[in-house]
Amino acid sequence: MPGKQSDNGSQVSRRNFVKAAGASGAAVSMAGCIYGNSGGGSDAVVWGFDPNAADEIGEDVKQLYSDNGVDADIELRPGDSDTGARRDNYQRLLEAGEAEPDIFMMDSGWVNVFIQQGLISNLSDELESSELQTVEDDYFEGFTATARDPGSGDLFGMPMYPDFPVMQYNKDYARQAGYGESDFETWATEPMTWKEWSQLTAEIQEAAGVKHGFTTQWDIYVGTSCCTFNEVMSSWGGAYFGGRENLFGPVGDRPVTVNGQETIDSLRMMRTFVDDDYDNALEGYASGIAPSNITQWTEESSRSPMADGNSVMHRNWPYAIGLNAAEDALGTDNYGTMPMPYAVTEDEAAQPGTGGTTSALGGWHIVLNPNSERKEEAMEVIRTTMKDDVYLGLFELWGWLPPKPELFESDRAAETGVVGNYLDTIRVAGENAMARPSTTVWPTQATMIAEQANAAVAGDKSPEQAMNDLQSSLENTEQQ
Amino acid sequence: MATETQPDATTRESRRSGPLVALTRRIENLGETGFAYLLLTPVFLLLGTVALYPLLRTFELSLYQNLVGIGQAEFVGVENYVNLFTGESDRWLPGSTTFLPGVSVDGNFPFVHLDGLLRSALAVTLIFTLVSVFFETLIGFGQALVLDQEFRGRGWVRAAIIIPWAIPIVIQGMIFFLMFHPDTGFLTAYLAEWGIVAPTNTLNDTASALLIVTVGDIWKTSAFMALLILAGLQSIDRGLYDVAEVAGATKWQRFKLITFPLILPTLGIAILFRTIQAMRIYGLIDSVSSCTVVPSLSCMVVETFNNQRGLSAALAFVTAAIIGIAVMGVIYQQYKSGDI
């Protein structure tokens, strides 16, 4: 008998079965080994990059760096289009000690979190002192501060491009309300008070018969905590943690100040803008100029009504100018910008360093992976980024603003694309930027802030109640 | 003249010796049960590696703090679990989320009061699981009973019922997101008139968003239940119905005395699968609303992973333990009824 047969008469012996299984296992293992050894192998500097830009202008960016003296090949590796997902992915890569990407584009709001977690290289140890001095002297200091360790002042990120939101408006509708070029010129650089601005918006909305007066973003997401609420609160003289100097810590040793009257009033103002029948409306402010939809809008959903001609005013980042003021959209003749309005001046502000026109500070830096196996070539890319020609080239290619104030003044910048027409306003915004309080506890705090600010403007809670709740939540997170 | 005899294959093999041959012989001489276990051993090893090891590693991580960032991780024993159940860890959960609902007792009926029920990750997960699995079972059962009948176009109806199940979670989430988004949604106004959802800020209102997520899940997964239950229905011996009909049993009696008892084991397995899946709800919440608005346990694991990894591991382990208890409950029921 050659082997045991099963009851159904199969002719496969146990011996043959075990042999076949063993051979299959060995084949699979070999396949695994072969596959496992096949990764990597390229000598290019791998750069974790913006996915849209990598797709649209990737080759131009490589050429720009090559033209400016980078010998090494560059591979642009697109990150996730959702910035939160991209941050999580980069954190996992760096924690796992992965050598690639060698350099990352990193949101100015994340860099301090990565610094405190010890995940990125200290560029102060890698750059020459003259290069560090250039960053010190020639860059927007408010923006560069987000790339520094708040404790030591060391530089961990090379500023790539800052981003400052501005108030955007439809000039055509303003003309229908009787305003003209001289007004637009004034508005471009001289901020109004929220009271004046809201009356102006209501007036234009009525004159032009537009659906919405004002569109902005107030969803439960980080954009509300870092930016829209941060701007409005600061322009009223309020702050999350007792003023500008405490933005980056020390966590636990800074006061939580969100239940101050100035912050509550800033939310009352937003609620007044949304609700025509708000019992606690601020006197002298136009009511009902913004749709209640803003509590579910982020950047793109709030931009659509403006692009479609359904809004007078729109708060957004410069990318929205590039899209809305393009010739095939509203056009530069019909599209204007102004600095964000304010409620109190710097002198009147309750919290130090706040008050006056305030734009949230966004933008991205380039950071170095400490596990990189091509550190020298990666530093060459970072050093090349510092060249004016590269900054202006990136501005020309994708509208990324140069992080040096003097480049704003250049003729080349003014002649660049659609956004070049609006640099006066963007410069004012840059000079009055407010960073988000980015510390290791910020990701947790950001969701708390967005939830309460949203509830207050949606009318689910009174501003007082929302800010008292937020006060105690933030105090809890500060006690690490 | 000596005659040489050719040895047959068996004799040739039996002359070999060595450990490999001994092992082969041992395998050949195993009984049927022993051989079956031998063949199952690689599967057990594989499952042990891919399922048990991560669970044990998660438990190990849950005993530490400061796992992220500079400095040494600190062994804290079961402190993460204690903090979770005492509310100390609530400050690390997104927004105003808590792990347990607030419980207060006083003299007013019903004496025990739950505060912030929909802000509690545990309560939201259990509410979602109970409601979605209940309705999915009910609807799935109904669909299966219909599909079990002979009628023209049955194949098309089956295909139509399975379509929602085939839709990826993110697409399904976007469908429900768009139905209630203020710019594109068409359902909010109608449902708000009846007080079913909030008229504004709908997707940021916990009660409304939880309802939408639950309905979305029922819409998608009832088909899964229907298919499992249908498989069970079709395994019932049709002769039993013939006998019952001859005996004069009504339709209800046939259902009560034949269909239901015989489908119960399948139903148990189907409910078990769905309960496990429902307890892990995350993707649908993330695409329709957000974890801050609808805080499920899996959401909390994801939200705390990058900052409070020990807490995240503790949450994951507690979620696994709750699922494990539910699974054991169903398995025990099946064991008691003699189905396994």
Side-chain angles (χ1 to χ4, degrees):
Chain A
M1 185 177 144
K4 285 186 181 178
Q5 286 187 6
S6 64
D7 293 341
N8 63 8
S10 162
Q11 295 299 309
V12 180
S13 71
R14 283 189 182 179
R15 180 166 296 186
N16 286 339
F17 180 85
V18 172
K19 276 181 187 171
S24 307
V28 170
S29 306
M30 279 179 72
C33 290
I34 292 163
Y35 177 79
N37 288 334
S38 67
S42 162
D43 284 333
V45 173
V46 179
W47 188 351
F49 211 72
D50 178 275
N52 298 324
D55 186 38
E56 297 280 335
I57 53 156
E59 290 307 313
D60 298 322
V61 170
K62 288 182 204 173
Q63 190 60 48
L64 179 69
Y65 277 81
S66 174
D67 292 347
N68 279 277
V70 173
D71 294 327
D73 289 334
I74 297 175
E75 178 193 329
L76 302 179
R77 187 168 293 173
D80 198 296
S81 57
D82 178 280
T83 52
R86 204 185 318 173
R87 182 191 64 194
D88 293 346
N89 187 25
Y90 287 174
Q91 180 164 345
R92 279 192 287 272
L93 284 170
L94 289 165
E95 274 187 67
E98 290 284 334
E100 290 180 355
D102 301 286
I103 50 178
F104 298 86
M105 271 179 74
M106 198 164 273
D107 191 310
S108 59
W110 316 338
V111 175
N112 190 29
V113 178
F114 280 75
I115 294 171
Q116 300 311 319
Q117 293 178 348
L119 294 175
I120 52 177
S121 286
N122 186 346
L123 296 186
S124 292
D125 295 338
E126 307 288 340
L127 293 166
E128 303 292 330
S129 56
S130 60
E131 291 165 330
L132 290 169
Q133 196 59 48
T134 302
V135 174
E136 180 97 33
D137 296 341
D138 297 350
Y139 286 62
F140 281 118
E141 184 47 38
F143 180 56
T144 310
T146 61
R148 293 186 190 280
D149 180 356
S152 65
D154 283 355
L155 188 75
F156 282 75
M158 177 57 66
M160 187 173 173
Y161 71 92
D163 226 1
F164 313 111
V166 293
M167 190 65 78
Q168 302 165 31
Y169 66 96
N170 188 312
K171 281 184 180 174
D172 194 33
Y173 296 149
R175 287 189 193 103
Q176 291 177 42
Y179 294 97
E181 293 307 318
S182 62
D183 299 304
F184 302 153
E185 205 170 308
T186 309
W187 296 351
T189 51
E190 291 181 22
M192 298 178 209
T193 63
W194 281 110
K195 198 181 278 186
E196 291 165 344
W197 172 87
S198 69
Q199 298 295 352
L200 173 75
T201 302
E203 182 193 346
I204 298 173
Q205 185 185 4
E206 195 181 342
V210 188
K211 188 176 177 186
H212 307 307
F214 173 43
T215 56
T216 184
Q217 309 89 42
W218 216 271
D219 197 2
I220 301 180
Y221 81 127
V222 70
T224 298
S225 345
C226 76
C227 305
T228 47
F229 178 43
N230 196 10
E231 282 165 5
V232 170
M233 175 178 66
S234 300
S235 73
W236 273 84
Y240 292 128
F241 302 108
R244 192 181 286 269
E245 63 182 13
N246 298 325
L247 281 175
F248 306 121
V251 175
D253 287 332
R254 54 185 181 172
V256 178
T257 50
V258 291
N259 63 353
Q261 192 57 43
E262 61 283 353
T263 303
I264 292 167
D265 284 343
S266 72
L267 287 169
R268 282 179 63 204
M269 178 188 79
M270 288 305 297
R271 181 70 190 149
T272 304
F273 290 165
V274 166
D275 185 2
D276 247 337
D277 303 318
Y278 181 38
D279 293 337
N280 206 11
L282 284 181
E283 208 170 310
Y285 288 76
S287 64
I289 55 174
S292 59
N293 294 358
I294 64 167
T295 57
Q296 291 185 82
W297 274 349
T298 57
E299 277 77 0
E300 272 304 273
S301 41
S302 69
R303 190 181 69 80
S304 298
M306 188 68 182
D308 295 340
N310 289 324
S311 184
V312 176
M313 299 276 180
H314 174 57
R315 177 265 176 211
N316 212 330
W317 304 89
Y319 88 93
I321 303 173
L323 295 172
N324 289 357
E327 285 314 305
D328 56 353
L330 296 173
T332 48
D333 285 347
N334 287 328
Y335 208 74
T337 57
M338 58 175 77
M340 295 300 295
Y342 67 97
V344 299
T345 63
E346 286 88 337
D347 297 338
E348 297 163 340
Q351 307 300 334
T354 66
T357 178
T358 310
S359 286
L361 178 59
W364 294 69
H365 302 297
I366 309 175
V367 303
L368 176 67
N369 182 347
N371 314 306
S372 169
E373 289 164 1
R374 289 177 284 263
K375 203 173 266 186
E376 205 172 304
E377 293 88 344
M379 281 309 299
E380 189 190 357
V381 174
I382 291 177
R383 284 195 172 92
T384 306
T385 305
M386 297 174 71
K387 293 185 176 178
D388 289 356
D389 191 52
V390 172
Y391 281 132
L392 288 167
L394 291 172
F395 183 48
E396 282 167 3
L397 286 172
W398 201 241
W400 282 333
L401 301 169
K404 295 178 173 180
E406 69 166 282
L407 294 181
F408 271 77
E409 312 286 348
S410 67
D411 293 341
R412 190 173 155 193
E415 290 161 5
T416 297
V418 174
V419 181
N421 294 289
Y422 302 91
L423 289 180
D424 286 351
T425 307
I426 294 171
R427 191 186 310 114
V428 175
E431 287 160 1
N432 295 279
M434 176 65 74
R436 69 202 75 180
S438 185
T439 60
T440 49
V441 291
W442 170 246
T444 306
Q445 293 175 334
T447 62
M448 294 170 173
I449 293 166
E451 184 188 32
Q452 298 301 339
N454 177 276
V457 175
D460 297 335
K461 278 183 180 180
S462 71
E464 290 85 353
Q465 183 63 52
M467 289 303 101
N468 283 333
D469 290 349
L470 181 59
Q471 176 83 17
S472 70
S473 300
L474 292 180
E475 282 171 352
N476 282 335
T477 55
E478 288 285 301
Q479 297 158 9
Q480 289 192 86
Chain B
M1 192 172 104
T3 311
E4 262 187 29
T5 343
Q6 288 293 326
D8 66 10
T10 318
T11 319
R12 191 169 62 241
E13 284 186 7
S14 67
R15 282 177 188 165
R16 288 183 185 169
S17 60
L20 191 64
V21 174
L23 182 68
T24 311
R25 286 208 185 105
R26 205 177 162 80
I27 290 171
E28 284 179 331
N29 292 327
L30 280 173
E32 287 298 320
T33 313
F35 190 60
Y37 276 116
L38 179 73
L39 293 183
L40 285 172
T41 305
V43 177
F44 286 143
L45 285 173
L46 196 67
L47 279 178
T49 310
V50 300
L52 202 60
Y53 172 73
L55 197 65
L56 293 175
R57 175 76 175 136
T58 303
F59 180 68
E60 187 195 355
L61 288 176
S62 73
L63 305 178
Y64 286 85
Q65 280 180 358
N66 298 331
L67 285 161
V68 181
I70 302 168
Q72 282 290 312
E74 183 189 351
F75 180 79
V76 292
V78 293
E79 195 178 313
N80 282 323
Y81 293 93
V82 173
N83 288 346
L84 203 56
F85 285 94
T86 55
E88 187 66 26
S89 300
D90 289 350
R91 61 193 166 133
W92 301 119
L93 303 181
S96 55
T97 305
T98 58
F99 177 65
L100 295 172
V103 180
S104 56
V105 182
D106 60 22
N108 301 323
F109 184 79
F111 312 117
V112 178
H113 306 274
L114 296 175
D115 304 318
L117 196 63
L118 297 185
R119 296 312 309 151
S120 155
L122 184 62
V124 163
T125 308
L126 292 177
I127 290 169
F128 171 80
T129 303
L130 286 173
V131 175
S132 64
V133 173
F134 175 76
F135 282 102
E136 282 158 15
T137 308
L138 211 62
I139 295 168
F141 206 156
Q143 287 177 334
L145 285 173
V146 171
L147 291 176
D148 195 37
Q149 308 299 313
E150 291 291 339
F151 60 91
R152 204 173 158 181
R154 189 171 70 157
W156 289 104
V157 176
R158 272 189 198 177
I161 283 179
I162 208 170
I163 285 173
W165 175 246
I167 292 176
I169 288 176
V170 175
I171 309 258
Q172 176 206 9
M174 284 310 294
I175 292 171
F176 280 83
F177 170 79
L178 292 172
M179 282 200 293
F180 291 92
H181 191 267
D183 295 339
T184 53
F186 56 91
L187 275 178
T188 308
Y190 297 113
L191 296 180
E193 265 183 40
W194 294 86
I196 296 171
V197 297
T200 57
N201 212 21
T202 315
L203 295 172
N204 287 331
D205 174 68
T206 299
S208 306
L210 177 59
L211 178 71
I212 293 164
V213 167
T214 309
V215 171
D217 195 72
I218 292 169
W219 174 75
K220 179 182 169 73
T221 320
S222 294
F224 173 76
M225 294 296 267
L227 288 178
L228 284 184
I229 297 166
L230 180 63
L233 284 176
Q234 295 197 329
S235 68
I236 297 174
D237 184 356
R238 301 279 149 171
L240 293 172
Y241 293 106
D242 296 338
V243 172
E245 208 169 345
V246 171
T250 62
K251 276 191 175 177
W252 168 244
Q253 284 171 323
R254 271 180 268 163
F255 174 79
K256 200 175 98 177
L257 299 171
I258 300 173
T259 310
F260 193 69
L262 291 179
I263 200 69
L264 216 50
T266 311
L267 210 56
I269 295 293
I271 290 173
L272 176 67
F273 282 167
R274 272 308 303 142
T275 305
I276 292 171
Q277 283 182 330
M279 292 285 295
R280 300 181 309 192
I281 179 78
Y282 167 70
L284 193 56
I285 292 173
D286 198 43
S287 50
V288 173
S289 181
S290 75
C291 285
T292 309
V293 179
V294 185
S296 73
L297 286 172
S298 291
C299 269
M300 297 306 104
V301 175
V302 175
E303 293 284 322
T304 52
F305 184 78
N306 278 333
N307 303 305
Q308 300 290 326
R309 194 151 299 162
L311 173 63
S312 178
L315 276 159
F317 198 78
V318 167
T319 308
I322 294 170
I323 292 173
I325 290 167
V327 170
M328 294 307 286
V330 176
I331 289 175
Y332 178 68
Q333 280 297 324
Q334 301 255 323
Y335 174 73
K336 241 176 56 176
S337 59
D339 295 319
I340 54 170

